[in-house]
């Protein structure tokens, strides 16, 4: 019986959990705000079987969807339920059939068992996306899987009723709160290491309204993108794929510090022929953008968690980039471009700390915003961060940033504690910033952990959680989450 490699990606907090769980009626400590009713969905990579290759890493894990739901029981009490299930992808089903891994390296089908040729190999492990009453589990290497929002049962691969031509869809869609439309893209849209990108707009009714294809300057890992009220923005950073390398059994991604970064900008309802490419600095990388927006002068601002290299050692090392963690630095960085000028330059400014997992209120998507939240490292922590996640160090400081330049607020965690990405729960009360819900891990022994959901007042993070729920099972670090209110859940599509 194969065992999981004893590498950083499979031990400690990263140890696979591998089981479906369901708990009802979990105790809620503190006071859960009345407006926090609904479900917090999380995507968690969790390999069901030991990998074929010992150098595998966390991004390959089978997608698990988890749901923490808050509801009223009708007798004045809050009910907290937690459930987690594997997404029954074609890949997961095929591996369960034989009880072992049949797919090889991360995004390299040339390393799969030969009889798996042609089987959908996405693991649907990155983001639970809610749109038009549907819950989709998305990963950028394939099409998403639709999941029942209540039972978490897998419904199947989702191609918008057969309308989607792209073989892939990003896990980072952008939903415009005003129009209700979902904007997304798929890169490597027609196959491995291709430069083809599909740009898609989905109506508020869930129907695919448009799909246009264009070419990237090179085949890059395009993890996230942004929209503004009038534009769609496609960042290209030099973590690149190469078909010959894949055929030779190599890694999907190498980082190429000598290459320039680019920001493609086009009118969001326009034609891809209107795309303009603005040139950014060489060698940089960003996984997540906080937002993009237009100012009164028509300038476009693109706010991103930018680093001087790719944050993942399993991408840097095979690329021949051997850096000490102290050499890796970044910051919340703004690129400003003028779509209507002749210049293709970006002007760059630092607007926040290093870190990742930026969050803004859904209502401010693509529009000017006064505040946002992100995770970073506590510089005053008297000890190492919790080991875990794809980087090997979990974030331990939650910050609320005032985008007008006011003082940030922070909620530091003590040694042994760490954050997963929060979701934002809006409030209907005027002037109230709503709440954040985040899963918090606490290491209590060499390989012992406890896990909590914290509900935090978003406008006053420093005061700590107002309500907490202990989740009585081991949890692996989450990638992304999504909040779906009770009112939205009531509109779930059949
Ligand atoms: Fe992401």
């Amino acid at each position: 019986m194969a065992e999981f490699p004893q590498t950083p990606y499979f031990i400690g907090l990263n140890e696979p959990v591998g089981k479906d769980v369901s708990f009802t009626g979990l105790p809620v400590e503190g006071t859960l705000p009345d407006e926090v009713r609904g479900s917090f969905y999380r995507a968690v990579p969790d390999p069901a079987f030991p990998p074929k290759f010992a150098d595998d890493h966390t991004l390959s894990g089978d997608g698990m969807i988890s749901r923490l739901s808050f509801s009223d029981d009708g007798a004045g009490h809050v009910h907290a339920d937690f459930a987690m299930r594997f997404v029954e992808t074609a890949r997961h089903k095929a591996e369960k059939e034989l009880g072992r891994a049949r797919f090889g390296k991360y995004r390299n089908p040339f390393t799969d068992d030969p009889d798996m040729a042609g089987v959908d190999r996405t693991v649907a492990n990155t983001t639970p996306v809610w749109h038009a009453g549907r819950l989709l589990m998305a990963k950028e290497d394939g099409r998403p899987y639709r999941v029942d929002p209540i039972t978490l049962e897998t419904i199947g691969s989702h191609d918008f009723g057969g309308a989607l031509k792209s073989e892939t869809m990003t896990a980072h869609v952008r939903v415009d709160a005003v129009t209700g439309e979902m904007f997304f893209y798929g890169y490597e849209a027609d196959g491995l290491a291709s430069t083809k990108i599909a740009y898609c707009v989905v109506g508020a009714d869930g129907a695919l309204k448009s799909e246009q294809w264009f070419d990237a300057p090179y085949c890059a890992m395009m993890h996230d993108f942004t929209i503004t009220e009038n534009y769609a923005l496609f960042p290209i950073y030099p973590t690149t794929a190469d078909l010959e390398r894949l055929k030779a059994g190599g890694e999907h991604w190498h980082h190429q510090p000598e290459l320039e970064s680019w920001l493609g900008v086009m009118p969001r309802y326009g034609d891809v022929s209107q795309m303009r490419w603005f040139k950014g600095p060489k060698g940089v990388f960003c996984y997540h953008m906080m937002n993009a927006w237009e100012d009164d002068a028509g300038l476009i601002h693109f706010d991103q968690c930018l680093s001087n290299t790719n944050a993942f050692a399993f991408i840097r090392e095979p690329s021949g980039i051997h850096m000490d963690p102290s050499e890796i630095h970044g910051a919340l960085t703004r690129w400003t471009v003028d779509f209507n000028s002749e210049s293709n330059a970006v002007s760059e400014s630092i607007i926040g700390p290093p870190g990742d997992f930026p969050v803004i209120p859904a209502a401010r998507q693509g529009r000017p915003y006064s505040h946002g939240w992100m995770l970073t490292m506590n510089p005053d922590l008297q000890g190492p961060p919790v080991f875990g996640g794809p980087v090997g160090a979990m974030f331990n400081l939650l910050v609320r940033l005032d985008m007008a330049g006011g003082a940030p607020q922070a909620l530091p965690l003590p040694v042994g504690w760490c954050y997963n990405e929060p979701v934002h729960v809006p409030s209907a009360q005027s002037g109230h910033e709503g709440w954040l819900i985040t899963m918090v891990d606490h290491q209590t022994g060499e390989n012992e952990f406890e896990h909590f959901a914290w509900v935090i007042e978003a406008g006053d993070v420093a005061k700590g959680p107002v309500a907490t729920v202990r989740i009585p099972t081991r949890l692996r670090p989450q990638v992304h989450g999504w909040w779906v209110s009770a009112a939205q859940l009531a509109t779930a599509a059949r």
Side-chain angles (χ1 to χ4, degrees), residues 348-363:
E348 185 172 289
S349 53
I350 305 297
I351 59 168
D356 204 351
F357 294 125
V359 176
I360 60 164

Side-chain angles (χ1 to χ4, degrees), residues 126-127 140 171-172 223-224 287-288 357 421 479-480:
T126 311
T127 309
E140 65 200 43
H172 286 287
H223 186 68
D224 193 359
Y287 279 96
H288 302 113
F357 294 125
E421 181 188 66
V479 189
H480 298 293

Side-chain angles (χ1 to χ4, degrees), residues 308-309 316-317 321-329:
N308 60 336
T309 185
R316 288 193 311 273
E317 292 292 331
I321 302 169
H322 309 294
M323 289 170 85
D324 186 81
S326 65
E327 298 173 89
I328 299 165
H329 45 84

Side-chain angles (χ1 to χ4, degrees), residues 108-404:
N108 187 343
F110 299 104
T111 61
D112 296 346
D113 287 1
D115 60 344
M116 290 296 98
V119 178
D120 183 5
R121 73 191 305 288
T122 189
V123 281
N125 70 3
T126 311
T127 309
V129 170
W130 176 266
H131 185 250
R134 294 187 184 97
L135 183 63
L136 306 174
M137 278 288 277
K139 181 179 181 68
E140 65 200 43
D141 68 347
R143 290 173 176 165
Y145 273 76
R146 190 174 162 200
V147 171
D148 183 299
I150 308 299
T151 65
L152 306 185
E153 282 169 316
T154 300
I155 297 167
S157 179
H158 188 67
D159 62 3
F160 299 87
L164 185 67
K165 302 284 184 293
S166 175
E167 295 174 15
T168 64
M169 170 178 150
T170 177
H172 286 287
V173 307
R174 298 279 172 176
V175 177
D176 187 308
V178 176
T179 68
E181 294 161 314
M182 176 167 76
F183 298 81
F184 76 85
Y185 63 95
Y187 72 91
E188 299 187 38
D190 64 348
L192 289 171
S194 156
T195 56
K196 294 290 178 213
I197 300 170
Y199 168 47
C200 300
V201 185
V202 178
D205 60 357
L208 186 67
K209 288 204 309 194
S210 78
E211 175 173 1
Q212 299 185 66
W213 287 34
F214 62 93
D215 281 290
Y218 48 78
C219 176
M221 179 201 266
M222 291 178 67
H223 186 68
D224 193 359
F225 90 131
T226 56
I227 55 162
T228 69
E229 219 173 320
N230 295 295
Y231 297 94
L233 289 78
F234 303 90
I236 307 282
Y237 309 101
T239 293
T240 63
D242 176 75
L243 189 58
E244 293 311 312
R245 183 170 71 232
L246 290 169
K247 285 180 178 169
E251 310 304 320
H252 194 105
W253 298 121
H254 276 192
H255 191 68
Q256 289 191 265
E258 73 281 11
L259 292 184
E260 263 128 3
S261 54
W262 296 92
L263 183 64
V265 183
M266 64 171 276
R268 76 180 201 183
Y269 300 116
D271 187 277
V272 289
S273 62
Q274 295 168 276
M275 187 78 70
R276 286 201 54 194
W277 290 99
F278 295 86
K279 193 189 285 188
K282 288 180 179 173
V284 295
F285 196 83
C286 160
Y287 279 96
H288 302 113
M289 292 102 223
M290 185 169 256
N291 198 9
W293 52 284
E294 297 160 53
D295 65 21
D296 291 340
L299 296 177
I300 302 170
H301 305 284
F302 176 80
D303 299 348
Q304 56 187 323
C305 298
L306 193 68
S307 294
N308 60 336
T309 185
N310 195 302
F312 294 163
F314 56 76
I315 290 176
R316 288 193 311 273
E317 292 292 331
S319 316
I321 302 169
H322 309 294
M323 289 170 85
D324 186 81
S326 65
E327 298 173 89
I328 299 165
H329 45 84
L332 184 64
T333 302
R334 176 167 294 165
W335 284 357
T336 298
V337 300
D338 184 351
F339 190 79
N340 299 309
S341 87
E342 296 282 299
S343 165
N344 76 340
V346 305
S347 79
E348 185 172 289
S349 53
I350 305 297
I351 59 168
D356 204 351
F357 294 125
V359 176
I360 60 164
R364 302 315 304 166
Q365 187 68 255
R367 292 177 166 77
Y369 61 120
S370 59
H371 56 276
W373 303 267
M374 64 184 281
L375 299 182
T376 181
M377 288 295 186
N378 179 2
D380 300 324
L381 191 74
Q382 301 297 310
V386 175
F387 187 91
V391 171
M394 299 287 288
F395 290 114
N396 48 33
L397 185 69
L398 167 69
V399 290
R400 176 198 178 278
L401 300 175
D402 181 330
M403 305 316 289

Side-chain angles (χ1 to χ4, degrees), residues 27-52:
V28 179
E29 302 283 334
T31 306
L32 189 75
D34 289 342
E35 292 187 271
V36 182
R37 295 294 182 277
S39 292
F40 168 27
Y41 294 98
R42 309 161 65 233
V44 183
D46 197 342
F49 302 103
K52 278 178 60 136

